[in-house]
């Protein structure tokens, strides 16, 4: 008899970007979608989140890192101010997470790591939610769509 003991994470992280372009789309009910390029994102003042770890199922834990980017609160304040209840953040590879409006200020669309640009391979644009401790299950790499929820 074989006893199959698995300690494997239920999600195998995808190591390779689904496309080369870090641009993403902001979708809202009853409005045309807004395309946001990396250049658009770089126009915002940079917010930094210190003491962040990547608890990677693939590569183990690394950090602490200082991520730089734009919070969802900053982004939505500029492009789509409204009383949203939350958002679904998705990657082109099908991975994603939901974020409540109360978390918009602590959800970073990261484009820098320790003061240098994040590479596409590393997840540019990578969602960082520092309170997330579940093996990076909310660190969405290669964000391609943000769908706002009423
Ligand atoms: N787009 C996308 N993001 C993702 C994943 C994925 O499969 N696709 N896996 C998540 C999981 S479970 C982990 S452990 C980390 C792995 O991050 P790393 O590749 O930087 O080690 O990415 C997270 N973000
Ligand atoms: Mo993971």
């Amino acid at each position: 008899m074989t006893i199959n003991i698995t300690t494997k994470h239920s999600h195998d992280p995808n190591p390779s970007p689904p496309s080369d372009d870090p641009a993403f789309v902001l979708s809202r009910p009853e409005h045309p979608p807004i395309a946001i390029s990396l250049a658009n994102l770089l126009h915002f003042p940079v917010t930094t989140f210190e003491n962040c770890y990547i608890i990677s199922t693939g590569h183990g834990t690394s950090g602490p890192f200082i991520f730089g980017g734009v919070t969802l609160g900053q982004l939505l304040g500029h492009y789509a101010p409204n009383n949203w209840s939350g958002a679904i953040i998705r990657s082109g590879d099908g991975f994603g997470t939901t974020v409540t409006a109360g978390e918009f200020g602590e959800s970073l669309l990261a484009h820098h790591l320790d003061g240098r640009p994040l590479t596409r391979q590393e997840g540019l644009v990578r969602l960082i939610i520092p309170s997330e401790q579940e093996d990076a299950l909310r660190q969405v790499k290669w964000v391609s769509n943000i769908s706002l929820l009423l």
Side-chain angles (χ1 to χ4, degrees):
M1 190 179 77
T2 315
I3 300 172
N4 195 1
I5 297 172
T6 175
T7 52
K8 214 169 157 203
H9 192 293
S10 58
H11 175 81
D12 282 324
N14 177 8
S16 40
S19 69
D20 292 336
D21 188 356
F24 61 91
V25 171
L26 192 58
S27 317
R28 298 166 290 170
E30 290 163 34
H31 287 279
I34 304 172
I36 298 175
S37 66
L38 180 59
N40 294 147
L41 215 54
L42 292 171
H43 275 116
F44 284 84
V46 176
T47 297
T48 53
F49 282 9
E50 297 184 14
N51 251 314
C52 297
Y53 290 82
I54 298 176
I55 304 166
S56 170
T57 315
H59 316 122
T61 299
S62 55
F65 297 117
I66 301 172
F67 280 101
V70 179
T71 66
L72 270 181
Q74 283 177 283
L75 187 86
L76 300 181
H78 180 77
Y79 284 105
N82 200 353
N83 201 12
W84 306 111
S85 64
I88 305 171
I89 318 287
R90 293 191 189 83
S91 167
D93 68 355
F95 191 79
T97 191
T98 55
V99 175
T100 63
E103 295 175 315
F104 283 172
E106 59 150 319
S107 301
L108 192 70
L109 295 165
H111 53 62
H112 270 69
L113 188 165
D114 290 341
R116 53 97 177 153
L118 204 58
T119 65
R120 183 69 176 153
Q121 176 76 36
E122 289 168 329
L124 179 73
V125 171
R126 183 172 184 135
L127 179 70
I128 300 294
I129 303 177
S131 60
E132 185 277 316
Q133 300 286 329
E134 305 288 331
D135 295 352
L137 280 173
R138 299 180 82 196
Q139 284 197 17
V140 181
K141 299 184 282 190
W142 319 301
V143 169
S144 65
N145 184 280
I146 299 177
S147 296
L148 296 168
L149 305 170
L150 282 170

